[in-house]
Amino acid sequence: MADVLPLVEARLRTTLGEPDARAAVTFVGTDRVEVLRFQDRDQDGEILRYATLGMSAQPMADPTAVLADPVKGPRAELVISVRAGLADTDKVLRPLAILAASPQVEGVIVAPGASLDVGEPLWPGAPFTSVLVAEPGGLVEDLELDEPLDPVRFLPLLPMTPNEAAWKRVHGAQALQERWLTNGTDLRDPARRSVPLD
């Protein structure tokens, strides 16, 4: 069976360029998770993208299954994008690694529309403790693997304020994303306020 992680890193490098920093986090009883940082620019300035590397080494198992299938099952890595220079966002690497390890630790399947909460600010002073898992494919295309392996999906994470997370639980992910869109919310702003929710 081909080692998945070199293929995943190659896809990240092809799409996002060379990482300018990387760090590794290991939790007891889990595989090592690395977080790679990439720099990019858009019309409004510099963007930092943090991507996990390690979550896709094993498929995510159905928490109700008696035995985890070592081959079949969804695979994913996480990507979060923030504007540079507005906050100490490099501290996001530990919360990001915690989220990437959650399928192994908690037996959850991370999928679009889900809310993930780390219970502490994503970086010092951040108004966010949770993220919304968005649809993959926009930034980094899915990585097809040889049968019978499922493709690796690169899931964007959108930081949510506590009010937004509570509102999303009632109204759903789609409604929150529409609210962000209607209000022109800059989801990459690491210090943004909550979108109006009344």
Side-chain angles (χ1 to χ4, degrees), residues 109-153:
I109 293 180
V110 177
S115 301
L116 305 175
D117 196 316
V118 292
E120 61 185 43
L122 293 177
W123 49 82
F128 321 105
T129 61
S130 63
V131 293
L132 173 66
V133 182
E135 290 292 334
L139 182 62
V140 184
E141 283 186 37
D142 292 356
L143 173 65
E144 297 295 332
L145 301 173
D146 294 338
E147 290 289 340
L149 302 184
D150 287 28
V152 176
R153 303 170 88 198

Side-chain angles (χ1 to χ4, degrees), residues 16 18 20 37-50 79-86 89-90 139 186-190:
L16 302 177
E18 285 298 308
D20 70 335
R37 185 181 74 183
F38 301 87
Q39 294 193 32
D40 193 7
R41 291 197 77 76
D42 70 1
Q43 66 274 13
D44 297 321
E46 191 179 2
I47 302 288
L48 296 176
R49 303 193 192 280
Y50 301 89
V79 182
I80 191 166
S81 302
V82 291
R83 296 208 175 281
L86 302 175
T89 55
D90 281 353
L139 182 62
D186 182 1
L187 296 173
R188 296 171 177 166
D189 180 350

Side-chain angles (χ1 to χ4, degrees), residues 12 15 34 46 68 74 91 100 111 150 158 168 170 174 176:
L12 287 169
T15 307
E34 285 191 272
E46 191 179 2
K91 297 284 195 309
D150 287 28
L158 308 175
K168 181 253 173 191
V170 175
Q174 185 66 40
L176 178 58

